[in-house]
Amino acid sequence: MAEFGAPIPISPDDPRLHTLEDDIIATADGVPCEFLCGRAGTGKTFEIVRRVAADDGYGILTATTGIASVNLGAVTLNSVLGYFDTASMRDAFLSGRLARSLHELALEYRWLIVDEVSMLAADQLDILHRAVEEANRYRDVRRPLGILLVGDFAQLPPVKARWTFEADCWPRFAANTVRLEKVWRQDGGLFLDALNFARSGNGPYAAIALAKAGAVWHTAVHTEFDGTTILPKNDMVGRFNAIALDRVPGPKIVVRSRRWGQQRSEWGESRRTHEWGIPPELTLKVGAYVMILSNDVPEFNFVNGDCGHVVSYSADDRCFTVKLVRTGREERIHPIVRGVEVSDKPDGWDATLRIPASEDDNGYRAERHYRGRVRRYVLGQVEFYPLRLAYASTVHKSQSLTLDRVQVDYRDGFFKQPAMLYVALSRARTLAGLRLVGDRERFVQRCVVDARVRSWL
């Protein structure tokens, strides 16, 4: 099985880059299919980001949720394909709009990549597979577009829907599965044993392994914990972060995001939770504990999920300096830009509009423009600092992240749901960096797995 570790320079032509691609294309009957899976911490997301960074035409990176897409620097699947739920996706397919959207992607990319696939409903995968098959029949598609699913079924499940692997088309993905075996997030030993037991729903053995490794079962939340506390609800997280920031001495630093033109739904405010994917403003202080929400590509001096303390802020340089817990290094964090971009010239595009052709034209420009390097028309952008307060987080916001110090308060009934406790626990790099809040008996009860995913453990 494939294993991946620290980032290394790889040419787009390197045969290691596309593990099964030739075999997949030869056997997929019009839709290449691949499933990249593995336990938490095996580097699934890192590997996909590496493939995309090495080859612009490799694939378009999407995620099943807004939070995952913001963390990943990608777009949501429904945003890129223009649907809201299963019913609207079905309508888009029946009208032909879904296949037309996928046809445009097929002209640019070899793969449609869907990360955090455990939350994708089976019905949606079947519709997507049919639409890609239809898009690949266009005469100008020289190489069929494939679907690359990435994730771990032992993590967060779909909401009130059938699992992805219950889709009719699933056997195509099962036949082309790459499983990453080596866990890079944790070094091994009893802590990793405990995580594996928790993942499989074996609470008694998970508790025994933790106890042997020296775990302590605390009875109350440490409100001044020097790390990230994982809580069940957004409002609890907001209150925890606000109180923690108030304890930091000194004036507040308020920076605003900038937006223009078309915006993606995941960047805005959720109608259900009233939370912003990318908030209008960010409030920090020197000394505040923060999380970085982007990768330093290609050097990877910092990665998505790295935490540290704000050392300084320069308004002139538009830069925060953050000292990382993981490395002890000070890293400069500048604003990043995300855009709404299309490959075909939009209707009504002003021919007199200046179209910069510079290969370095990747920044924020508050006007419609053309990115010459990647040949894309930009219809809207958001510019923001990829930082957020890291004193607290929900389980959903922490999925795919690696954290140095984690406090998990699993006493709430929320953690009775399958996989919730495992996802929270597996964010921690080490047992020394993990603080458990709740008694041992309740811990055992909270190690729950959906019986339908046991074959993927």
Side-chain angles (χ1 to χ4, degrees):
M1 297 297 179
E3 296 182 358
F4 301 95
I8 55 175
I10 289 189
S11 162
D13 298 324
D14 193 306
R16 293 172 293 172
L17 189 62
H18 312 303
T19 312
L20 296 179
E21 186 167 307
D22 291 338
D23 291 339
I24 292 167
I25 288 173
T27 61
D29 293 337
V31 182
C33 298
E34 181 180 348
F35 177 41
L36 179 66
C37 64
R39 291 169 289 170
T42 50
K44 299 180 296 295
T45 298
F46 173 84
E47 167 60 10
I48 290 303
V49 170
R50 190 198 75 170
R51 293 187 192 185
V52 172
D55 181 357
D56 287 339
Y58 181 78
I60 180 169
L61 190 54
T62 74
T64 52
T65 68
I67 292 300
S69 68
V70 171
N71 288 349
L72 193 59
V75 295
T76 57
L77 180 64
N78 60 292
S79 177
V80 76
L81 295 181
Y83 69 91
F84 301 100
D85 53 19
T86 302
S88 64
M89 186 183 192
R90 187 176 293 109
D91 287 343
F93 172 70
L94 293 173
S95 69
R97 288 188 293 109
L98 193 59
R100 289 194 294 272
S101 297
L102 289 162
H103 168 240
E104 293 182 9
L105 298 180
L107 297 178
E108 293 188 65
Y109 303 105
R110 296 195 298 279
W111 294 96
L112 172 64
I113 306 167
V114 185
D115 200 9
E116 304 297 357
V117 74
S118 65
M119 301 187 73
L120 180 67
D123 290 348
Q124 292 190 9
L125 179 59
D126 277 330
I127 295 169
L128 179 63
H129 185 271
R130 290 190 185 99
V132 172
E133 190 172 31
E134 191 172 309
N136 284 344
R137 296 192 191 114
Y138 281 72
R139 291 184 178 181
D140 56 350
V141 176
R142 298 179 180 178
R143 184 185 183 114
L145 177 68
I147 304 173
L148 172 51
L149 306 179
V150 184
D152 175 19
F153 290 129
Q155 298 191 44
L156 300 183
V159 179
K160 298 179 180 179
R162 294 187 303 142
W163 284 93
T164 311
F165 54 78
E166 295 177 308
D168 291 338
C169 65
W170 179 253
R172 297 179 181 273
F173 296 92
N176 295 291
T177 294
V178 177
R179 187 186 299 271
L180 305 186
E181 299 285 2
K182 181 174 175 59
V183 175
W184 297 96
R185 184 176 294 151
Q186 294 87 19
D187 290 335
L190 287 171
F191 181 42
L192 184 55
D193 290 341
L195 292 180
N196 289 333
F197 286 130
R199 182 173 184 264
S200 63
N202 194 331
Y205 278 80
I208 290 170
L210 286 174
K212 286 184 177 180
V216 178
W217 315 90
H218 298 275
T219 58
V221 170
H222 183 4
T223 57
E224 297 185 27
F225 179 70
D226 187 21
T228 301
T229 298
I230 296 184
L231 299 170
K233 300 175 183 177
N234 286 315
D235 56 351
M236 297 170 68
V237 168
R239 288 193 291 267
F240 197 103
N241 277 327
I243 291 173
L245 185 63
D246 287 344
R247 289 197 302 267
V248 179
K252 292 181 177 178
I253 303 167
V254 181
V255 292
R256 295 190 60 83
S257 61
R258 299 196 294 169
R259 304 163 195 258
W260 68 271
Q262 292 186 22
Q263 299 287 292
R264 297 196 182 279
S265 59
E266 59 264 28
W267 301 341
E269 184 181 19
S270 166
R271 295 180 182 178
R272 183 175 60 85
T273 65
H274 301 292
E275 275 220 313
W276 286 78
I278 298 175
E281 64 181 31
L282 174 67
T283 302
L284 301 175
K285 292 181 180 180
V286 170
Y289 189 62
V290 296
M291 182 183 300
I292 300 175
L293 304 176
S294 66
N295 292 303
D296 175 39
V297 179
E299 288 83 7
F300 288 96
N301 291 319
F302 59 84
V303 296
N304 184 18
D306 260 334
C307 293
H309 295 88
V310 175
V311 175
S312 64
Y313 171 69
S314 170
D316 292 336
D317 294 338
R318 303 186 68 217
C319 171
F320 283 94
T321 299
V322 176
K323 185 174 182 179
L324 300 187
V325 172
R326 178 174 59 88
T327 65
R329 291 167 51 98
E330 293 186 1
E331 302 292 349
R332 292 164 59 85
I333 310 299
H334 294 275
I336 62 175
V337 176
R338 300 283 184 254
V340 176
E341 303 177 1
V342 296
S343 56
D344 293 335
K345 183 183 289 188
D347 294 337
W349 187 269
D350 187 352
T352 65
L353 184 69
R354 183 169 66 89
I355 302 178
S358 169
E359 292 299 296
D360 297 324
D361 183 37
N362 297 316
Y364 177 92
R365 300 174 54 86
E367 61 179 357
R368 297 200 305 177
H369 61 279
Y370 182 75
R371 291 181 59 201
R373 184 176 65 85
V374 293
R375 302 177 183 178
R376 306 279 287 183
Y377 294 87
V378 182
L379 305 180
Q381 289 179 315
V382 59
E383 180 191 62
F384 66 104
Y385 286 91
L387 294 168
R388 72 165 178 244
L389 289 172
Y391 297 104
S393 175
T394 62
V395 177
H396 285 78
K397 282 188 177 179
S398 70
Q399 180 159 290
S400 83
L401 301 180
T402 300
L403 304 175
D404 298 288
R405 291 182 53 77
V406 186
Q407 177 174 233
V408 180
D409 180 4
Y410 56 83
R411 295 172 297 176
D412 192 275
F414 169 86
F415 283 95
K416 293 180 181 178
Q417 300 177 60
M420 294 300 170
L421 181 56
Y422 168 66
V423 171
L425 297 173
S426 58
R427 302 307 96 198
R429 295 182 190 275
T430 64
L431 180 60
L434 175 65
R435 186 175 191 271
L436 299 169
V437 182
D439 59 48
R440 179 167 172 167
E441 180 180 359
R442 190 170 299 180
F443 176 91
V444 171
Q445 296 170 350
R446 298 292 196 255
C447 292
V448 181
V449 64
D450 189 312
R452 290 170 293 180
V453 307
R454 290 194 178 277
S455 61
W456 291 99
L457 297 178

